Amino acid sequence: MLPRPLRGVLPILFLTREALAQSNAETVRSSFAYILYGERTPLRGNTAPSLTPLGGQQLYTQGSVFRARYLSNGSLSEDDSRVTTASPVIGLEENAIDNSQLSIYSSTDEYVFGSALAFMQGLYPPTPHAFAVDGEDLSMLANGTTVEYPLDGYQYPNVQTPSVLDPNSVWLEGHTSCADYWSSARDFDDEANTVRTYNSSFDFYQKT
Ligand SMILES: *[C@@H]1O[C@H](CO)[C@@H](O)[C@H](O)[C@H]1NC(C)=O
Ligand SMILES: *[C@@H]1O[C@H](CO)[C@@H](O)[C@H](O)[C@H]1NC(C)=O
Ligand SMILES: *[C@@H]1O[C@H](CO)[C@@H](O)[C@H](O)[C@H]1NC(C)=O
């Protein structure tokens, strides 16, 4: 269910911290996922690098499936049960995001960071009373008034963008210091394969 990889793929990482044990047939304590970004504007051309609405939907859908898998209480919808099984991570907040339980890494590229946000919107959709610290609902003020986050309880994930000086950045942006990557990107237009494909598909793309 990963979006189609594109040239110069950049990942987002999502990791849940180990939680408390619980006796069950299967015990899931944490999960690690390496996720590609959604559809972006073409590498070649005049458009700025950007996540497209389709790309946002791709990652939102993917986050929703992860939600069904890791944050469900065992009852999956018919759609979700076609693509995954319920494997709830024990101790993980189900509805209110608790950023101390998650590690989310992204490169600084707009379309990758946007993909991370869209994914997280699916994982933790807007939820009223969604302000949890150690499982406690804190959305009520001392005077008894309940205050929600904007947009019906939109939740804010802590998406980290490690700098190139951080050793962890290699997993996300190893290509930024890779001479072969950049020469390949630069010479792409002139490679024999590119020219052949361009010539052989030119007529097709001229059709309206
Ligand atoms: C499980 O989740 C579903 C959907 O959110 C909910 O309707 C149901 O009440 C939950 N069951 C339990 C036992 O928490
Ligand atoms: C409680 O405090 C909030 C924030 O200051 C205020 O908006 C709200 O009107 C107060 N509620 C009551 C019942 O006084
Ligand atoms: C591609 O088309 C151009 C112009 O028609 C031609 O000069 C060139 O030889 C073609 N290249 C290949 C690899 O087919």
Side-chain angles (χ1 to χ4, degrees), residues 5-43:
L6 296 163
R7 201 176 156 80
V9 157
L10 295 168
I12 303 161
L13 302 185
F14 159 63
L15 182 68
T16 64
R17 202 175 64 171
E18 187 171 336
L20 295 173
Q22 176 184 304
S23 63
N24 226 333
E26 179 191 56
T27 305
V28 182
R29 296 174 193 280
S30 66
S31 169
F32 172 89
Y34 191 85
I35 295 161
L36 305 181
Y37 58 81
E39 190 200 57
R40 51 157 291 175
T41 48
L43 275 172

Side-chain angles (χ1 to χ4, degrees), residues 110-122:
E110 189 262 22
Y111 50 94
V112 181
F113 196 85
S115 292
L117 289 182
F119 178 89
M120 292 306 296
Q121 280 185 305

Side-chain angles (χ1 to χ4, degrees), residues 39 50-59:
E39 190 200 57
S50 181
L51 185 69
T52 66
L54 174 63
Q57 291 291 347
Q58 288 170 330
L59 269 291

Side-chain angles (χ1 to χ4, degrees), residues 12-204:
I12 303 161
L13 302 185
F14 159 63
L15 182 68
T16 64
R17 202 175 64 171
E18 187 171 336
L20 295 173
Q22 176 184 304
S23 63
N24 226 333
E26 179 191 56
T27 305
V28 182
R29 296 174 193 280
S30 66
S31 169
F32 172 89
Y34 191 85
I35 295 161
L36 305 181
Y37 58 81
E39 190 200 57
R40 51 157 291 175
T41 48
L43 275 172
R44 302 270 149 179
N46 298 326
T47 40
S50 181
L51 185 69
T52 66
L54 174 63
Q57 291 291 347
Q58 288 170 330
L59 269 291
Y60 176 82
T61 304
Q62 199 172 1
S64 306
V65 172
F66 272 67
R67 175 172 180 76
R69 179 173 176 78
Y70 291 119
L71 303 180
S72 72
N73 57 15
S75 50
L76 293 191
S77 74
E78 209 174 297
D79 279 353
D80 287 334
S81 62
R82 253 183 250 125
V83 292
T84 189
T85 54
S87 303
V89 178
I90 54 172
L92 193 61
E93 280 290 341
E94 258 183 53
N95 296 311
I97 196 168
D98 178 348
N99 279 302
S100 71
Q101 295 184 320
L102 311 169
S103 302
I104 311 154
Y105 291 98
S106 166
S107 74
T108 52
D109 298 290
E110 189 262 22
Y111 50 94
V112 181
F113 196 85
S115 292
L117 289 182
F119 178 89
M120 292 306 296
Q121 280 185 305
L123 191 67
Y124 283 103
T127 306
H129 309 301
F131 178 36
V133 172
D134 294 333
E136 208 177 325
D137 179 355
L138 299 178
S139 56
M140 190 186 283
L141 301 183
N143 69 6
T145 301
T146 298
V147 180
E148 304 296 357
Y149 284 118
L151 305 174
D152 296 325
Y154 185 92
Q155 308 200 58
Y156 306 109
N158 180 10
V159 181
Q160 302 176 58
T161 50
S163 87
V164 290
L165 298 177
D166 183 331
N168 279 325
S169 75
V170 172
W171 317 119
L172 298 163
E173 301 193 272
H175 68 283
T176 49
S177 317
C178 174
D180 280 353
Y181 173 87
W182 292 111
S183 67
S184 158
R186 197 182 49 239
D187 300 340
F188 177 72
D189 276 349
D190 303 326
E191 280 166 17
N193 262 342
T194 312
V195 177
R196 242 191 325 271
T197 307
Y198 178 87
N199 279 9
S200 64
S201 59
F202 186 80
D203 285 345
F204 175 80

